[in-house]
Each structure stands twice: as C-alpha cells, then as structure tokens.
Amino acid sequence: MAEDPQRNFRSVYYEKVGFRGVEEKKSLEILLKDDRLDIEKLCTFSQRFPLPSMYRILVWKVLLGILPPHHESHGFVMRCRKEQYKDVHHALQVIRFIKDSTPQVEVFLRIYQLESGKLPRNPSLSSEAEDEVFLAIAKAMEEMVEDHIDCYWLISSFVNQLNNKYKDSIPQLPKLLEQYLSLEDSGLLTHLKLCSAMDHLPYNLWFRKCFAGCLPESSLQRVWDKVISGSCKILVFVAVEILLTFKMKLMALNSAGKIQQFLENIPQDNTDAISETMLPADPPSM
C-alpha cells in the first residue's frame, strides 16, 4: 500500500513544532483497542516512545502483570486486587503494625512485607536496605498515581520486577557505566578514577532505586517506561548522560566524597533537559 504523503507531511510538521507524540499517541490507541492486548507490541512501543500520560498507568499495569491482556477481565481483576488490599490492610491494623496516622508509603511497605512473608516481628525494628529501596520507589510512585490501591500494586509489582527479572542484571550496571563512559568521554572517566570516585558513585540511588528521588516526575516517568517494558540497561544511559551534563562541575571536584554528594543532589532544573537526550529511541534490553 502506498504511503499517504499528506500524513507523512503532518508527521514531520508535528515533530518540528514540538508535537512529536501525536502520531505515536494514535498508534498506541490502536493497540489499546484490541480485545486482547499484545504485550510484545506494547513493550516495543514503550521502548521507542514516551507513553502519553493518559494511558501510562494502564500500560504499566498490563506490562507488570497487574492486569491481564484481556480487556473484559480488567474490572473483575481490579475488584479482586482491591479486596485483597483491604483485607491485608485490615489485618495489619488488627496486629497494630499500622494505624490511621501511619504514612501511606509505610502502609504500602507493611502490606508488601506481609504479602511476601517478610513482615518483621516488631514494627519498631530498623529498616533493611531493601526496605529503603521500596520506600524510595513508593514515594516517587505516590506522586504519579492518585488511587492508592493502584499505587500499591504498581509499586509492589515494579519492585518484584527489579528483584526478580533484573536480579542478575542490576549488579552489572556499574561496570557497563564505566564501559560506556570510556567511549563517550575518557577524560572524565580518568578524572573520576584519579579521585577514586568510580566506586563511590550513587549506584544505589541510580540503579537499585531507579533514580527515584533523583529525577523529577516527568523525567522519571520516561525512564520507568523503559524499565517496566523490559530494559534496565536504560539506567546506564541515564547515568552517563548525567555525568556528561555535569562534567564541568565534576572536573572541578577533587574528592570521591564531594563528587558523590553532588551527584546525590543534582540540580533539578537541569534534569528536564537531560531527559530529552538521555533516552535512546530503542535502548538495548537487558
């Protein structure tokens, strides 16, 4: 079939005036109209394009397995998940692990701990490292999702994806970061090594927490689109772009501690510009 030249003209025009998502949005809407959603095609779309905000939560829920591919089952499945959330929430109240004044992200953590068989014997016990990761992701997700039950299932499913699907990949990301940085800017890499900073970069914040608490919501959503749809390697590209963006500042710092402190608190007003260049159109999966 011959391509529609008028449609092609519009696509080019939209992109030039800043509406590059118009055609992509139409393509996604077509995918979402199928009676049985094609998971592979949704993953491919999410890898190549930022998800429109109005469809992001639905796509995330499908890709994370919270909802099944069949549209007709969505209502029933979410009703079941809502009842499950309420039952566990009530149980935690009965055993006095949560109360009305408990912060919502901590409620999410306790529900997750009980469901995964990791609830501590005493609620006053100090948090484990994995709990800190959960809470960071929960805090970021809470700012993106209004419904707290949807929010819980997205958090728990995302954390499970990181702990299971990406369990072996995430520890490899620091080494990959060094490899890509050597290709992009060997001088910056040399400086970081001379300062003994490569072993002290905020890898926990960048890779374990998937930049939660580091990037603003708009940028973080675009990164999580890629991670949720199958590529944790995108985290390396984001980290490299951050290092390149703040190269001049980093080159002026001469200690691992100062470099780490700066990267853990990068200026938020620069990160939206980073998000425009840090995400390759089709990042390699990992």
Side-chain angles (χ1 to χ4, degrees):
M1 182 181 293
E3 293 184 353
D4 183 351
Q6 194 171 27
R7 183 169 182 264
N8 290 340
F9 163 76
R10 290 196 187 103
S11 298
V12 175
Y13 174 75
Y14 287 143
E15 186 167 345
K16 286 187 175 181
V17 297
F19 292 97
R20 60 175 299 208
V22 173
E23 291 299 314
E24 288 85 346
K25 181 182 175 184
K26 291 180 180 178
S27 298
L28 179 60
E29 288 174 343
I30 292 171
L31 290 177
L32 294 176
K33 286 180 181 178
D34 292 340
D35 292 334
R36 187 183 189 283
L37 300 177
D38 190 316
I39 303 299
E40 185 176 346
K41 288 182 179 178
L42 286 175
C43 284
T44 300
F45 182 94
S46 301
Q47 287 290 303
R48 297 189 63 192
F49 310 110
L51 290 169
S53 58
M54 64 186 300
Y55 298 122
R56 175 169 278 117
I57 301 306
L58 171 60
V59 174
W60 282 6
K61 286 163 74 174
V62 172
L63 295 185
L64 288 170
I66 299 166
L67 289 174
H70 295 279
H71 270 294
E72 61 184 15
S73 302
H74 286 187
F76 172 75
V77 170
M78 284 312 301
R79 285 193 296 273
C80 291
R81 293 198 180 278
K82 184 175 182 179
E83 289 302 316
Q84 183 177 344
Y85 177 94
K86 288 182 175 180
D87 287 345
V88 178
H89 187 280
H90 177 67
L92 287 166
Q93 287 180 316
V94 170
I95 62 177
R96 299 180 180 178
F97 261 75
I98 61 172
K99 49 189 178 181
D100 291 341
S101 60
T102 303
Q104 189 63 57
V105 291
E106 187 177 328
V107 172
F108 292 150
L109 174 62
R110 295 307 187 192
I111 292 175
Y112 181 75
Q113 288 175 329
L114 184 56
E115 293 228 292
S116 58
K118 296 179 180 179
L119 191 70
R121 293 183 179 181
N122 190 322
S124 63
L125 292 176
S126 58
S127 298
E128 301 288 338
E130 62 183 61
D131 297 338
E132 295 302 323
V133 171
F134 185 98
L135 290 170
I137 291 174
K139 185 176 180 180
M141 190 74 79
E142 188 183 27
E143 295 177 357
M144 303 177 191
V145 185
E146 292 184 5
D147 185 274
H148 65 275
I149 295 178
D150 277 352
C151 189
Y152 168 73
W153 287 110
L154 285 165
I155 297 162
S156 61
S157 300
F158 188 30
V159 169
N160 283 335
Q161 183 188 55
L162 297 175
N163 291 340
N164 298 317
K165 182 177 181 178
Y166 298 139
K167 179 180 179 181
D168 296 327
S169 299
I170 288 178
Q172 300 175 28
L173 299 186
K175 184 177 180 181
L176 282 175
L177 172 62
E178 183 172 334
Q179 292 175 0
Y180 280 104
L181 185 58
S182 69
L183 296 174
E184 293 291 334
D185 196 317
S186 59
L188 177 56
L189 176 61
T190 298
H191 173 72
L192 293 175
K193 285 186 172 182
L194 288 174
C195 295
S196 301
M198 287 303 295
D199 291 333
H200 296 87
L201 296 182
Y203 295 128
N204 188 53
L205 172 63
W206 290 353
F207 301 149
R208 291 293 300 161
K209 297 179 182 178
C210 292
F211 293 94
C214 176
L215 299 175
E217 181 178 324
S218 58
S219 299
L220 193 61
Q221 287 173 337
R222 297 185 65 194
V223 176
W224 286 9
D225 286 346
K226 314 301 181 189
V227 178
I228 288 171
S229 60
S231 174
C232 72
K233 197 173 182 179
I234 189 64
L235 301 172
V236 174
F237 293 119
V238 178
V240 169
E241 193 62 38
I242 287 174
L243 293 174
L244 295 176
T245 298
F246 296 105
K247 175 182 176 178
M248 298 304 294
K249 176 66 176 179
L250 295 173
M251 294 294 284
L253 299 174
N254 56 12
S255 75
K258 291 179 180 179
I259 289 173
Q260 180 181 7
Q261 183 179 18
F262 173 77
L263 291 173
E264 287 178 345
N265 301 277
I266 58 175
Q268 293 288 301
D269 55 352
N270 292 81
T271 50
D272 281 331
I274 292 174
S275 70
E276 294 299 318
T277 57
M278 68 186 175
L279 302 179
D282 194 8
S285 61
M286 183 177 183

